[in-house]
Amino acid sequence: MMKDTRQILIVDDEADLRKLVGSYLEKESYFVQTAKSGEEAIHILQQYHSIDLVVLDVMMDDMDGFTACEKIREFSMVPILMLTARSSEEDKIKGLKVGADDYIVKPFSPRELVARIEAALRRVDGLQTNKQMIKVQELEVDKNGRIIYLQGKPINATRKEFDLLLYLLEHRGQVFTREQLHERLWGMDSQMGTLRTVDTHIKTLRLKLKSAERHIKTVWGVGYKFEDAQ
């Protein structure tokens, strides 16, 4: 696991704790971002899709960690490690029920925090390997399960829409004509449709991808391609 490519978001309304936890993780070569409230954390996660794990404090004034975790789970499956001074079993169960992946009680040692973060990231890596996941920013494609995820939520794509996205994604940056896409994806059935079939599927796929439709580029006079657009 290359730590320098992993981004950790620390969410706490206490500046000293954000600084302390951040220094632990930076010493371990993680890239650290911080948020002083649940609302700010939600904004960061919605705007930037490169966060690999969230360290979330439970006791915050504007929005407690349980509420923040629940709201994050409405649009993202990013791993969440909750920090709390409360060690009751009830609080731990509540955190796990609203979507937390792990729970660590203050005071904690830097080594324990890092170990728990690494364990959570390994679990995610293992799931993605088993699923053969392809991830581009907020867009994820599970090749084996044939599921497209947008910001952690599955979208309702047809078989051909899935095939079309996967083909463009696996050949990202390469421009394909409508003829090439039609022949490749419709194969023996290619005589049954027209080249407008490709345009129609591109259009419906873009609608379903919402903000992620920016990745599918039209190359005027040629065809289509997939780009890692920002």
Side-chain angles (χ1 to χ4, degrees), residues 78-95:
V78 63
I80 297 175
L81 172 61
M82 299 193 79
L83 302 179
T84 183
R86 304 189 297 195
S87 59
S88 73
E89 182 180 12
E90 183 179 340
D91 283 337
K92 292 180 180 179
I93 292 172
K94 183 177 180 180

Side-chain angles (χ1 to χ4, degrees), residues 141-157:
V141 176
D142 176 0
K143 292 176 62 176
N144 286 346
R146 294 183 61 82
I147 303 172
I148 301 169
Y149 295 92
L150 181 63
Q151 295 183 346
K153 293 185 176 181
I155 67 172
N156 185 24

Side-chain angles (χ1 to χ4, degrees), residues 161 164 176-179 181-182 186 194-207 216 218 220 222-224:
E161 287 167 351
L164 179 58
F176 293 96
T177 65
R178 289 184 298 164
E179 290 86 349
L181 291 172
H182 195 241
W186 275 261
T194 69
L195 297 182
R196 295 296 299 172
T197 301
V198 176
D199 296 331
T200 299
H201 280 75
I202 289 286
K203 181 179 180 180
T204 58
L205 183 58
R206 281 172 165 164
L207 289 172
I216 300 178
T218 299
W220 297 108
V222 184
Y224 301 100

